[in-house]
Amino acid sequence: MQYWLFKSEPSTWSWQQQLAKAPECEEWDGVRNYQARNYMRQMKTGDRGFFYHSQKEKAIVGIVEVCVEAHPDSTTDDPRWECVDIRAIQSMPDPVTLAMCKQDPRLKDMVLVNNSRLSVQPVRPDEWKAVCELGGCNTGY
DNA sequence: GCCAACGTTGGC
DNA sequence: GCCAACGTTGGC
């Protein structure tokens, strides 16, 4: 199983909206970046991901699960763009802020810390564990 | 609100 | 195929 990170502007699509949909799946659509798309193509059903709020909050606020693997993005006719479907699993008891990630030596290689613009990112198992610990979430891995 | 980083576009 | 110009994103 692989771990990922999904980034969203809360004003566009928030964790609260994702959570309200659970346990239903929701398309993670609108991605128009090749790198992010390629990561989504690698995703398998059951993979886990962090849900990150960019802009004002800058924090990992929840955990999601991939429930439908890559398929055409319904928000465009352009065949280049694909997306996966994800569902909310649980909220982070204590949201893990970007500042906390930057401060933790275990997370110094995290993509979020080094390339904040990539909207879909891989997360290493050790990074996943460290973030879960920071977030007070022991069932996330 | 500013600016740095990054990706994309288009002229050559 | 290179690179300058431009647009977008997101942290500060």
Side-chain angles (χ1 to χ4, degrees):
Chain A
M1 150 148 84
Q2 296 260 95
Y3 299 105
W4 310 95
L5 183 143
F6 298 87
K7 190 170 54 186
S8 184
E9 301 177 20
S11 56
T12 305
W13 180 256
S14 71
W15 174 244
Q16 285 71 29
Q17 287 170 284
Q18 186 77 49
L19 201 56
K21 274 269 175 181
E24 281 183 56
C25 297
E26 183 76 15
E27 257 192 1
W28 192 259
D29 53 35
V31 173
R32 301 291 181 265
N33 173 285
Y34 291 107
Q35 223 182 330
R37 182 208 60 190
N38 292 343
Y39 284 131
M40 288 199 287
R41 283 180 172 172
Q42 296 174 28
M43 293 180 187
K44 301 288 180 203
T45 302
D47 278 1
R48 293 280 166 116
F50 290 129
F51 192 107
Y52 177 80
H53 272 170
S54 67
Q55 295 183 330
K56 195 159 191 278
E57 237 177 303
K58 287 171 299 201
I60 293 167
V61 291
I63 290 174
V64 297
E65 176 185 61
V66 175
C67 42
V68 181
E69 293 175 14
H71 59 87
D73 185 331
S74 70
T75 62
T76 178
D77 291 330
D78 192 328
R80 288 179 298 172
W81 304 121
E82 299 176 15
C83 62
V84 296
D85 290 10
I86 60 175
R87 71 165 148 252
I89 297 292
Q90 67 169 117
S91 298
M92 273 291 165
D94 306 308
V96 179
T97 65
L98 179 61
M100 289 163 70
C101 292
K102 287 189 167 178
Q103 213 182 347
D104 195 310
R106 293 174 297 175
L107 300 176
K108 67 174 170 51
D109 294 331
M110 220 183 157
V111 181
L112 184 68
V113 171
N114 298 296
N115 179 9
S116 58
R117 290 196 48 187
L118 186 59
S119 62
V120 176
Q121 314 174 355
V123 174
R124 297 199 313 235
D126 58 307
E127 293 166 344
W128 180 269
K129 191 164 182 291
V131 171
C132 287
E133 283 171 15
L134 290 174
C137 172
N138 298 315
T139 57
Y141 59 90

